[in-house]
């Protein structure tokens, strides 16, 4: 990617080279690396620019491309900042899922906050809360494990309790029956 091209042109070039959703992760990674060798170093910068303009559709497209590329510098920081700001709410599940894949310890408190806020908002958020549980399970660490144990043993809907227990590997220890918890 040439630095002489404006940011919007770079975003469009990256989206074009990465191709559509039909590409496998490995194929997308090969295409981008061969045609745009410095994409990894530029993508987080471009995502920040899109977030500043609230261009969430293109932000999300780059976010998914970045997740496929692996090891994109500062991707975790960009996503943590977006989650903290509450911006791009339509894509919050994607942000949480990718943060879980990145397993950045700095995101644990933010993911816990999202889970807790959605729990008390009364809105239809069980899908988002499941993503939070899965992300925390991927991240590990004492805070994440303690929070998941609190969900598994606490007063939560059975499906959330089950998922937290599965992430911790304690569903048998707690005597949970999958059919009963998820049925």
């Amino acid at each position: 990617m040439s630095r002489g091209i404006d940011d919007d042109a770079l975003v469009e070039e990256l989206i074009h080279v990465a191709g559509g959703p039909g590409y496998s992760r490995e194929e997308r990674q090969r295409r981008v690396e061969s045609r745009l060798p410095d994409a990894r170093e530029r993508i987080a910068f471009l995502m920040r620019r899109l977030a500043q303009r609230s261009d969430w559709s293109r932000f999300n497209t780059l976010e998914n491309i970045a997740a496929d590329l692996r090891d994109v510098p500062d991707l975790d920081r960009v996503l943590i900042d977006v989650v903290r700001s509450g911006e791009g709410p339509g894509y919050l599940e994607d942000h949480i899922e990718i943060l879980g894949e990145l397993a950045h310890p700095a995101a644990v408190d933010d993911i816990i906050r999202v889970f807790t806020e959605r729990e008390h908002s009364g809105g239809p958020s069980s899908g988002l809360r499941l993503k939070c549980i899965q992300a925390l399970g991927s991240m590990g660490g004492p805070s994440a494990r303690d929070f998941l144990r609190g969900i598994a043993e606490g007063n939560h809907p059975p499906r959330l309790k089950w998922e937290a227990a599965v992430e911790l590997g304690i569903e048998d220890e707690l005597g949970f029956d999958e059919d009963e918890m998820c049925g």
Side-chain angles (χ1 to χ4, degrees):
M1 280 191 284
S2 169
R3 294 190 190 272
I5 300 174
D6 73 21
D7 293 344
D8 286 327
L10 288 175
V11 169
E12 292 308 315
E13 183 179 4
L14 184 54
I15 291 169
H16 173 73
V17 168
Y23 288 116
S24 70
R25 176 173 274 184
E26 293 78 19
E27 187 175 1
R28 180 178 280 181
Q29 188 175 9
R30 278 192 301 276
R31 284 177 54 93
V32 170
E33 287 175 345
S34 68
R35 301 219 358 232
L36 303 168
D38 64 342
R40 269 194 182 86
E41 288 70 38
R42 300 274 297 162
I43 197 165
F45 169 80
L46 295 170
M47 289 173 66
R48 280 197 189 281
R49 282 303 238 297
L50 294 170
Q52 289 167 351
R53 294 189 312 206
S54 297
D55 187 345
W56 298 113
S57 178
R58 293 192 322 159
F59 179 96
N60 193 56
T61 300
L62 286 190
E63 175 182 25
N64 288 311
I65 291 168
D68 284 352
L69 292 179
R70 303 277 189 208
D71 303 320
V72 171
D74 297 325
L75 177 61
D76 51 355
R77 292 287 355 140
V78 171
L79 294 177
I80 289 169
D81 290 347
V82 167
V83 168
R84 283 182 181 161
S85 72
E87 297 290 324
Y91 300 103
L92 192 53
E93 284 186 33
D94 291 339
H95 306 330
I96 297 294
E97 181 176 9
I98 292 171
L99 280 170
E101 290 175 14
L102 296 172
H104 194 284
V108 169
D109 289 340
D110 296 300
I111 293 172
I112 289 171
R113 180 187 51 77
V114 168
F115 181 95
T116 304
E117 285 175 358
R118 292 306 188 265
E119 181 177 30
H120 299 297
S121 70
S125 57
S126 63
L128 175 59
R129 293 186 313 186
L130 285 172
K131 291 285 185 188
C132 289
I133 289 169
Q134 292 163 349
L136 291 168
S138 296
M139 298 169 122
S143 295
R145 285 192 300 274
D146 289 347
F147 187 76
L148 291 174
R149 185 168 276 280
I151 293 169
E153 295 175 345
N155 185 21
H156 296 277
R159 176 67 191 263
L160 297 180
K161 291 173 65 130
W162 168 260
E163 292 296 334
V166 167
E167 289 296 330
L168 292 170
I170 61 170
E171 66 274 19
D172 291 336
E173 172 188 323
L174 296 177
F176 288 171
D177 178 287
E178 181 177 9
D179 293 334
E180 205 174 282
M181 301 297 284
C182 298

